[in-house]
Amino acid sequence: MSEDHLGKIRVLVVDDHPIVRVGIAAIIDARPDMMTVAQTGDAEEAIRLFEQHLPDITLMDLRLPKMSGVEAIRAIRLRHPKACFVVLTTYEGDEDIYQAIEAGARAYVIKGMPHEALTDALRRVHAGGRFLPPPISRALAQRTPDSDLTSREREVLSLLAQGRTNKEIAMELGITVATVKCHVSVILMRLQATDRTQAVVTALQRGLAHL
Amino acid sequence: MSEDHLGKIRVLVVDDHPIVRVGIAAIIDARPDMMTVAQTGDAEEAIRLFEQHLPDITLMDLRLPKMSGVEAIRAIRLRHPKACFVVLTTYEGDEDIYQAIEAGARAYVIKGMPHEALTDALRRVHAGGRFLPPPISRALAQRTPDSDLTSREREVLSLLAQGRTNKEIAMELGITVATVKCHVSVILMRLQATDRTQAVVTALQRGLAHL
DNA sequence: CCGGCCATCCGACCAGAGTCGGAGTTGGTT
DNA sequence: AACCAACTCCGACTCTGGTCGGATGGCCGG
């Protein structure tokens, strides 16, 4: 190992697919001005590795086993408020993006973009800037004020997205069917859906719920 | 470029994510007994590249823009029945797997497995064998005879999965609501669902429909 | 040629879903 | 204290969704 890492952008890579990690590392380590310091597919180990290496930038996938990438970002930022994050993920709806930005991500790159998008994002963020591809910022702009659901509504929505009936949801939450119907009505309004099936579909599209 | 490619397993890589292609190529080209001959993210170009290089094995993602990976496999096999395919994709339900095996894929590797799974699969397939990870063959074994839908039912299901009502589906297909209800009932039976929302959820899980 | 599968259609029935309007509780904000 | 938002509940009404039984014509394989 050479000792020429002075001045290089030091990157921690977090993605649950080993193959993707190899690809990212290959791209980054091929550039003279950046290098990877560690990689993992596990959110908890990511937190440990961050403490250990204190990288300039953490490259983070959002969909991870156990803990989500957003939670990992929040956890790290609690102790290191100046930590820099670039999200690298397949496009999975505006909600994930919104959450990630909210949690403090400074850039958002979609897998499937050319390599330059990734390295560009890293350089810009390291220089103190941001990087949001046009399709992403467009999606974000379309969020209306009441696309936010209350925590109870998210709870109901996730049960809806499992194909449960109102009665089952009522049992599960220990409330009456009438109340469930109220929540469902509000959800339909917020998602601009006309029935529960449509609500589930758009929730999955936007990343408000997962399979 | 050295001329030591004699005897190596020659691989064509097809995946729509540039980063993943880099990762795969890095892994394969690091082994002494295999090499990549070309790569692309486009199914149609994949067909051209196959004709041009006649690789020993084509490593194929199923989810591609425009044409699906399964269709690409079928197209190539029409003219080259002895062509070898290894599917490399994120797990997206048993239906994709079934279709791919049906179309002639000899191995199925899930992104997120360690590198060795990939190289193992390539070597085994090149030796004339097969490679199906336990979770995959388990999922395949659970297919009951009547989990197959007729083409009309698939048509209805994909409209269901868009959140359309029976009336809308009837309009779309130029049939009556009564007939749509019949199809929906059959679909519910086949998917072992009790209502349309559940049917949509399990269809998405199993890869019978997509967002 | 006939049985079976598929797609089509019908009518009637029941249960679930969704709407509307009204109303009480809590907890946090101003 | 006044207020607002979220959560809770109720009843009654409408309409979609789903089931059941029965029926037709086309198409394919034995």
Side-chain angles (χ1 to χ4, degrees), chain B residues 165-167 181 184-185 188 195-196:
Chain B
T165 68
N166 288 339
K167 195 194 293 182
K181 286 187 176 186
V184 171
S185 280
L188 294 183
D195 61 68
R196 59 174 49 218

Side-chain angles (χ1 to χ4, degrees), chain A residues 73 77 85-87 99-108 130 132:
Chain A
I73 293 178
R77 281 211 128 210
F85 294 92
V86 172
V87 172
Q99 294 291 334
I101 304 285
E102 200 76 348
R106 299 263 293 278
Y108 201 101
R130 301 183 154 274
L132 293 183

Side-chain angles (χ1 to χ4, degrees), chain B residues 131-159:
Chain B
F131 183 92
L132 293 183
I136 295 293
S137 43
R138 221 182 303 126
L140 275 181
Q142 284 179 350
R143 283 182 61 90
T144 72
D146 58 24
S147 35
D148 296 318
L149 306 188
T150 68
S151 68
R152 196 54 155 178
E153 284 156 7
R154 276 195 297 275
E155 214 167 350
V156 173
L157 180 55
S158 82
L159 291 168

